[in-house]
């Protein structure tokens, strides 16, 4: 009887021990999975940012004059030198491809626009702007005279919007939070980003997203002040840089612009994730 009791206790101990080991292993695997996912996100982020500042564009935006230095490739302008400009904002622009856009039942959904600044004083990234929804207008494709009109905007359920572009106009957009103040002497780097994907315009009609040829790129501006008005001599505003135009796909895609080199981004990436 005593032997049977000891055997029972041993079996019970073995079962409990096995369960504990299983739970520990499961926790370890989950932790490794989380760490690996986080690491992969950082790797993907760095690759995306570097790619988005590497020539050429994935396609040529329709209506942009060929002699403009950003017509075929990303480029920096003011970069990390805002001069005496005291404000900035992230922005993006959506174009049809120069070769044409045969899709008539596709829209571009845009969300989650952000701007970060790398501080000279502390070497850390600071979130300047973050807006789930964007606002904007339809501007002439060549931005001549800064002429614009109301855009074809549809408000989506998850606090984002979807738009169309074409017929001589792009969709130029920015955060709903407006410009933000900066210390021009503390700018060591700028990073802007947004997410976009293709969605169906009319669900009762055929899905033609596979034919859509929309290009989107990110950028940013320095402004003289929070309330400075645009003028044709460009004394109140100047662009920081313009990132690569990339095709919008059915899945969410992240579009970025940065003033930092590939080496600098690899050593100190901004603290954000990428899809």
């Amino acid at each position: 009887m005593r032997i049977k009791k000891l055997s029972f206790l041993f079996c019970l101990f073995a079962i409990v021990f096995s369960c504990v080991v299983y739970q520990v292993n499961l926790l370890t695997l989950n932790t490794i999975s989380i760490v690996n996912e986080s690491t992969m996100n950082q790797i993907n982020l760095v690759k995306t940012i570097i790619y988005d500042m590497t020539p050429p564009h994935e396609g040529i935006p329709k209506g942009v004059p060929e002699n403009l230095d950003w017509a075929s490739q990303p480029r920096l302008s003011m970069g990390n030198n805002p001069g005496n400009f005291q404000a900035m904002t992230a922005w993006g622009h959506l174009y049809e491809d120069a070769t044409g856009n045969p899709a008539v039942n596709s829209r571009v959904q845009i969300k989650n626009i952000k701007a970060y600044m790398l501080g000279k004083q502390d070497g850390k990234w600071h979130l300047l702007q973050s807006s789930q929804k964007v606002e904007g207008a339809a501007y002439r494709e060549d931005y001549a005279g800064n002429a614009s009109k109301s855009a074809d905007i549809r408000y989506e359920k998850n606090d984002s919007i979807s738009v169309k572009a074409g017929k001589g106009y792009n969709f130029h957009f920015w955060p709903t939070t407006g410009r933000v103040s900066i210390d021009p002497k503390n700018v060591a780097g700028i990073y802007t980003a947004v997410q976009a994907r293709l969605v169906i315009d009319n669900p009762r009609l055929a899905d033609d997203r596979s034919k859509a040829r929309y290009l989107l790129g990110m950028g940013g501006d320095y402004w003289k002040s929070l309330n400075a008005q645009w003028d044709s001599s460009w004394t109140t505003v100047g662009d920081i840089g313009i990132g690569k135009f990339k095709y919008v796909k059915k899945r969410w895609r992240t579009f970025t612009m940065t003033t930092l080199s590939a080496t600098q981004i690899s050593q100190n990436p901004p603290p954000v994730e990428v899809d």
Side-chain angles (χ1 to χ4, degrees):
M1 189 71 178
R2 182 180 180 84
I3 293 175
K4 290 183 178 180
K5 183 180 289 187
L6 288 173
S7 298
F8 172 76
L9 291 174
F10 177 78
C11 291
L12 183 62
F13 172 77
I15 293 172
V16 172
F17 180 76
S18 297
C19 290
V20 170
V21 171
Y22 174 78
Q23 290 294 331
V24 170
N25 288 338
L26 185 61
L27 180 60
T28 301
L29 288 173
N30 287 338
T31 301
I32 292 173
S33 177
I34 293 171
V35 171
N36 286 343
E37 183 178 352
S38 176
T39 301
M40 287 304 298
N41 280 338
Q42 280 295 309
I43 293 173
N44 289 337
L45 172 65
V46 169
K47 287 182 177 179
T48 296
I49 298 173
I50 293 173
Y51 174 72
D52 285 358
M53 295 306 295
T54 305
H57 296 322
E58 290 184 353
I60 302 300
K62 179 178 174 289
V64 177
E66 294 181 0
N67 64 332
L68 291 182
D69 57 6
W70 55 272
S72 61
Q73 63 183 7
R75 66 104 171 95
L76 293 180
S77 181
M78 296 182 75
N80 298 327
N81 302 297
N84 62 352
F85 284 22
Q86 305 289 322
M88 70 80 60
T89 187
W91 56 256
H93 43 189
L94 174 73
Y95 280 81
E96 288 186 311
D97 190 289
T99 61
N101 175 33
V104 296
N105 195 35
S106 296
R107 304 176 68 86
V108 175
Q109 186 178 7
I110 304 171
K111 69 173 185 177
N112 200 25
I113 188 169
K114 293 181 182 291
Y116 284 83
M117 183 193 78
L118 182 64
K120 279 185 178 179
Q121 298 172 2
D122 59 9
K124 295 181 180 179
W125 287 100
H126 300 270
L127 180 62
L128 300 181
Q129 294 175 303
S130 181
S131 174
Q132 180 73 0
K133 187 183 292 183
V134 304
E135 61 185 18
Y139 282 73
R140 280 187 45 152
E141 291 169 335
D142 59 2
Y143 286 110
N146 212 38
S148 67
K149 64 178 184 178
S150 297
D152 179 2
I153 295 175
R154 184 175 75 189
Y155 295 93
E156 304 292 345
K157 293 180 180 180
N158 63 346
D159 201 28
S160 64
I161 67 166
S162 65
V163 297
K164 285 189 170 186
K167 299 180 181 178
Y169 288 84
N170 65 22
F171 178 63
H172 184 37
F173 60 90
W174 47 86
T176 59
T177 52
R179 301 173 202 164
V180 62
S181 295
I182 60 167
D183 176 359
K185 297 180 181 179
N186 192 34
V187 178
I190 295 289
Y191 166 78
T192 67
V194 78
Q195 293 173 307
R197 69 174 178 178
L198 295 171
V199 294
I200 298 171
D201 184 24
N202 187 341
R204 295 188 295 271
L205 301 179
D207 179 358
D208 63 0
R209 288 178 294 173
S210 61
K211 300 178 182 178
R213 304 285 286 177
Y214 278 116
L215 289 160
L216 191 148
M218 279 300 292
D221 281 341
Y222 291 126
W223 283 85
K224 198 79 171 179
S225 68
L226 290 175
N227 302 312
Q229 300 297 308
W230 179 85
D231 68 72
S232 58
S233 60
W234 296 94
T235 59
T236 59
V237 61
D239 78 82
I240 301 167
I242 297 177
K244 184 195 295 275
F245 276 99
K246 300 190 299 189
Y247 287 107
V248 185
K249 306 286 181 81
K250 292 181 182 180
R251 60 176 176 81
W252 287 109
R253 201 175 186 192
T254 299
F255 302 77
T256 72
M257 183 281 298
T258 188
T259 61
L260 297 185
S261 68
T263 300
Q264 290 171 319
I265 282 293
S266 297
Q267 293 174 345
N268 188 11
V272 292
E273 294 184 354
V274 62
D275 287 341

